[in-house]
């Protein structure tokens, strides 16, 4: 009996050990991959020889175990005499769920994909054209493009869980951790440091700037470049009963109606927008707050004025109770042509099969008309120019992230939380602690998702010091660099921002 018990115990121990080994194998993590190549480019009239370092960086938990692999591409100038004086700029897009493909292949990378500059047609199927970025900024700064967890080639590994990264605070902390690690590994703690973010990437930028102040490794940034800012979501969420959004979207509707020749004809874009700004502040706001207390005469007067600015019929505006939601504006402005406007860029138009939906039903033409060009070009560039070979597809976007995202700006269990995400106060406090940090805000007049007037409204409040903010405007949309004249202007504005001491 004793021998049988010993045999049974041995078998049980062996099975347990085997199970543990299988579990450990499932959590085993291979060595991070890295692809290094050398190139050259002329930016700012200077020939820049640089190294492209495309690599995985493993983030570790408090126990020193790898939990996430962050994919990045760093473009670092060769032969820099004193790297500590060479600026480095960290760049990411938004979503959440978007890789850095847009800013890399559209604006700041060494090679860019050419898309139709005037939004007159979509870019269809391949072939697409890649060109050298002669408007780049690599003479001024090294560049590090970052793909957050779940985008690009970045993913959770080992004992990592997506909920540790897919959230407002979690995301900012992970990017801050990556930046500290990159700066440490590349001996760049003394380098001037900047962040360029787009859309939700601006939300992230404010969060990262704040997160970098803590964790026992305070890292002060020199500046933020916010492209199509989204800091206070009350101003960029077009839904019923959100009075802020009716105000912040109105000037963008007016600009878009002007572009499509439905309003403001005979006036310059800037003068028409200024007229709409004045009306929004001084008349429309009070009308919205009076609501049903308005007399019929007052309602008619407001409807006529809104029709004048946004090009929709007065009767339609009255039926909308003087509150036109953005999807309805997209659908109604050119309804007689059977087309709907883009959301990211109101210049774009898409043919609609169903002309009676309460908004574009095919999606956003300013997105689906160019996304294939960006995806194909990035995959070609990675494989053919940088020699990158990975065992998984590059996710330019990941829709799974959005549905699982933790938007809470407060810790779990804190109870009450704001209705809309707002990181502006956090940015304001960071700027007051870091008095050397400056902020550039770039806005497109035809951006119908992150309206330019929302940027003005946001930065005029929240304790923001106005002399630290530089505002720039472009005659395009959310991704203003798809309009070549604005790509050139944005490059010049960024160059001037980085050059100012």
């Amino acid at each position: 009996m004793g021998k049988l018990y010993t045999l049974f115990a041995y078998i049980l121990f062996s099975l347990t050990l085997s199970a543990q080994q299988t579990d450990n194998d499932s959590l085993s993590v291979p060595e991070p991959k890295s692809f290094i190549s050398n190139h050259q480019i002329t930016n700012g009239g200077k020939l820049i020889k640089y190294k492209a370092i495309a690599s995985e960086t493993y983030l570790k938990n408090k126990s020193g175990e790898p939990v996430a692999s962050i994919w990045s591409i760093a473009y670092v100038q060769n032969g820099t005499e004193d790297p500590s004086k060479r600026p480095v700029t960290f760049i990411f897009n938004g979503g959440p769920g978007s890789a850095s493909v847009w800013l890399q292949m559209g604006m700041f990378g060494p090679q860019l994909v050419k898309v139709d500059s005037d939004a007159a047609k979509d870019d269809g199927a391949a072939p697409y054209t890649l060109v050298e970025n002669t408007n780049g900024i690599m003479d001024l700064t090294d560049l590090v493009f970052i793909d957050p967890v779940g985008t690009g080639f970045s993913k959770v590994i080992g004992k990592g869980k997506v909920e540790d990264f897919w959230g407002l605070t979690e995301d900012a902390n992970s990017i801050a951790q990556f930046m500290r690690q990159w700066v440490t590994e590349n001996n760049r703690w003394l380098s001037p440091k900047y962040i360029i973010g787009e859309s939700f990437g601006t939300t992230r930028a404010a969060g990262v700037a704040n997160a970098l102040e803590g964790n026992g490794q305070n890292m002060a940034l020199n500046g933020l470049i916010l492209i199509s800012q989204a800091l206070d979501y009350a101003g960029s969420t077009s839904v019923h009963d959100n009075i802020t959004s009716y105000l912040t979207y109105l000037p963008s509707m007016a600009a878009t109606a002007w572009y499509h020749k439905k309003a403001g004809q005979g006036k310059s874009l800037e003068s028409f927008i200024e007229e709409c700004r004045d009306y929004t502040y001084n008349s429309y706001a009070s009308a919205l707050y009076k609501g049903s207390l308005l007399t019929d005469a007052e309602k008619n007067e407001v409807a006529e004025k809104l029709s004048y600015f946004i090009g929709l019929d007065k009767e339609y505006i009255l039926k909308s109770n003087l509150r036109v939601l953005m999807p309805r504006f997209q659908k109604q402005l050119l309804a007689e042509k059977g087309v709907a406007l883009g959301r990211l860029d109101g210049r774009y138009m898409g043919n609609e099969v169903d002309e009676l939906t309460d908004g574009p039903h095919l999606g956003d033409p300013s997105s689906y008309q160019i996304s294939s060009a960006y995806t194909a070009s990035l995959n070609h560039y990675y494989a053919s120019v940088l020699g990158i070979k990975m065992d998984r597809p590059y996710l330019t976007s990941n829709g799974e992230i959005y549905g699982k995202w933790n938007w809470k700006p407060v810790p779990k269990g804190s109870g009450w939380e704001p209705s809309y995400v707002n990181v502006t106060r956090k940015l304001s406090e960071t700027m007051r602690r870091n008095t050397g940090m400056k902020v550039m805000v770039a806005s497109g007049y035809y951006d119908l998702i992150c309206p330019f007037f929302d940027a003005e409204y946001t930065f005029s409040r929240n304790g923001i010091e106005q002399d630290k903010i530089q505002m720039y405007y472009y005659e395009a949309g959310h991704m203003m660099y798809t309009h070549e004249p604005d790509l050139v202007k944005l490059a010049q504005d960024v160059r001037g921002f980085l050059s100012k001491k």
Side-chain angles (χ1 to χ4, degrees):
M1 183 69 178
K3 289 183 179 179
L4 287 174
Y5 178 82
T6 302
L7 179 60
F8 174 78
Y10 176 78
I11 293 173
L12 182 61
F13 173 79
S14 298
L15 290 173
T16 302
L17 187 64
S18 176
Q20 288 176 343
Q21 184 64 46
T22 301
D23 184 60
N24 288 337
D25 287 344
S26 68
L27 296 175
S28 64
V29 177
E31 287 296 311
K33 293 184 178 180
S34 179
F35 305 86
I36 301 175
S37 53
N38 289 287
H39 312 267
Q40 62 182 35
I41 193 171
T42 299
N43 281 169
K46 299 178 181 178
L47 179 66
I48 306 298
K49 295 183 178 181
Y50 66 94
K51 186 175 295 182
I53 308 167
S55 61
E56 296 177 292
T57 297
Y58 287 175
L59 303 185
K60 297 180 180 180
N61 60 19
K62 293 180 180 179
S63 300
E65 301 163 313
V67 290
S69 171
I70 298 289
W71 177 261
S72 66
I73 296 190
Y75 299 105
V76 180
Q77 180 175 288
N78 288 327
T80 302
E81 291 185 7
D82 187 357
S84 69
K85 295 181 180 178
R86 168 87 169 159
V88 57
T89 300
F90 298 90
I91 304 174
F92 38 70
N93 274 90
S98 175
S100 61
V101 54
W102 310 103
L103 286 177
Q104 182 167 193
M105 302 306 297
M107 183 66 213
F108 294 109
Q111 290 194 14
L112 306 181
V113 58
K114 292 278 288 183
V115 296
D116 181 55
S117 182
D118 292 319
K121 60 181 179 62
D122 72 42
D123 292 285
Y128 307 109
T129 303
L130 281 170
V131 298
E132 183 176 286
N133 185 8
T134 56
N135 294 291
I137 56 174
M138 288 181 60
D139 58 308
L140 298 177
T141 178
D142 292 335
L143 306 173
V144 184
F145 292 88
I146 307 171
D147 293 334
V149 171
T151 71
F153 291 131
S154 300
K155 62 177 184 177
V156 295
I157 56 176
K159 294 182 179 179
K161 299 177 181 179
V162 295
E163 55 262 34
D164 296 331
F165 302 95
W166 290 0
L168 192 66
T169 303
E170 296 86 348
D171 171 79
N173 288 340
S174 67
I175 299 303
Q177 183 181 353
F178 167 85
M179 288 174 59
R180 285 194 185 97
Q181 192 166 327
W182 191 93
V183 165
T184 299
E185 291 173 355
N186 291 273
N187 193 22
R188 300 296 291 273
W189 275 94
L190 291 181
S191 295
K193 303 169 194 68
Y194 297 86
I195 286 178
I196 300 177
E198 179 184 291
S199 193
F200 173 79
T202 68
T203 316
R204 176 185 292 127
V208 170
N210 184 265
L212 286 171
E213 293 183 313
N215 202 35
Q217 285 187 304
N218 192 353
M219 182 189 293
L221 298 173
N222 295 72
L224 304 181
I225 296 173
L226 309 179
I227 299 175
S228 302
Q229 70 83 39
L231 301 189
D232 180 354
Y233 285 28
S236 55
T237 306
S238 182
V239 294
H240 287 299
D241 303 317
N242 178 15
I243 286 184
T244 299
S245 68
Y246 300 128
L247 298 169
T248 54
Y249 275 112
L250 185 63
S252 289
M253 291 181 180
T256 304
W258 179 93
Y259 175 83
H260 290 288
K261 303 186 186 320
K262 301 290 285 186
Q265 296 308 288
K267 299 185 177 183
S268 69
L269 175 60
E270 289 77 10
S271 65
F272 188 55
I273 286 173
E274 184 58 31
E275 186 181 355
C276 188
R277 274 194 190 99
D278 181 71
Y279 178 76
T280 303
Y281 274 129
N282 298 313
S283 300
Y284 189 41
S286 60
L288 288 175
Y289 278 99
K290 286 182 72 174
S292 59
L293 298 179
L294 290 170
T295 65
D296 288 342
E298 288 173 324
K299 288 180 181 178
N300 272 283
E301 183 180 349
V302 173
E304 288 176 1
K305 200 66 175 178
L306 291 178
S307 178
Y308 164 78
F309 280 120
I310 67 176
L312 300 185
D313 290 339
K314 172 187 167 184
E315 293 305 315
Y316 181 87
I317 293 172
L318 284 170
K319 289 179 180 178
S320 301
N321 197 23
L322 310 179
R323 296 159 171 81
V324 179
L325 296 175
M326 180 53 71
R328 293 178 177 176
F329 174 77
Q330 291 176 259
K331 189 77 173 186
Q332 287 295 319
L333 186 67
L334 300 178
E336 76 279 2
K337 297 181 179 179
V339 300
L341 306 181
R343 186 72 182 269
L344 293 169
D345 193 326
R347 297 177 303 141
Y348 285 79
M349 298 168 283
N351 290 315
E352 296 279 285
V353 177
D354 187 343
E355 298 183 12
L356 296 178
T357 56
D358 198 31
H361 72 283
L362 292 179
D364 185 349
S366 53
S367 176
Y368 64 67
Q369 290 179 6
I370 65 173
S371 59
S372 294
Y374 274 79
T375 302
S377 298
L378 178 124
N379 278 285
H380 170 81
Y381 171 67
Y382 275 13
S384 301
V385 179
L386 301 186
I388 297 170
K389 298 186 184 300
M390 296 292 283
D391 59 357
R392 54 190 182 274
Y394 184 92
L395 299 179
T396 57
S397 62
N398 184 351
E400 183 182 353
I401 291 177
Y402 202 86
K404 296 181 178 180
W405 195 263
N406 175 19
W407 286 103
K408 291 183 179 180
V410 294
K412 292 181 180 178
S414 296
W416 180 88
E417 60 186 90
S419 299
Y420 294 100
V421 170
N422 185 359
V423 297
T424 321
R425 177 69 61 174
K426 184 177 291 187
L427 175 60
S428 172
E429 293 172 352
T430 301
M431 293 176 70
R432 288 177 183 273
R433 284 189 288 264
N434 176 9
T435 58
M437 187 172 77
K438 54 187 179 178
V439 176
M440 171 181 169
V441 183
S443 302
Y445 283 132
Y446 310 125
D447 186 348
L448 300 184
I449 193 164
C450 293
F452 70 89
F453 190 61
D454 177 45
E456 299 171 8
Y457 171 75
T458 296
F459 283 96
S460 67
R461 301 175 300 116
N462 299 288
I464 294 287
E465 297 176 288
Q466 298 301 304
D467 61 337
K468 300 284 183 65
I469 307 297
Q470 300 174 33
M471 308 280 283
Y472 298 88
Y473 301 88
Y474 305 88
E475 289 193 44
H478 198 72
M479 298 150 58
M480 64 283 295
Y481 44 83
T482 61
H483 183 228
E484 187 153 354
D486 283 319
L487 182 152
V488 175
K489 182 179 184 301
L490 178 58
Q492 292 172 343
D493 293 338
V494 169
R495 179 175 292 278
F497 178 81
L498 293 175
S499 299
K500 291 179 181 177
K501 302 299 183 182

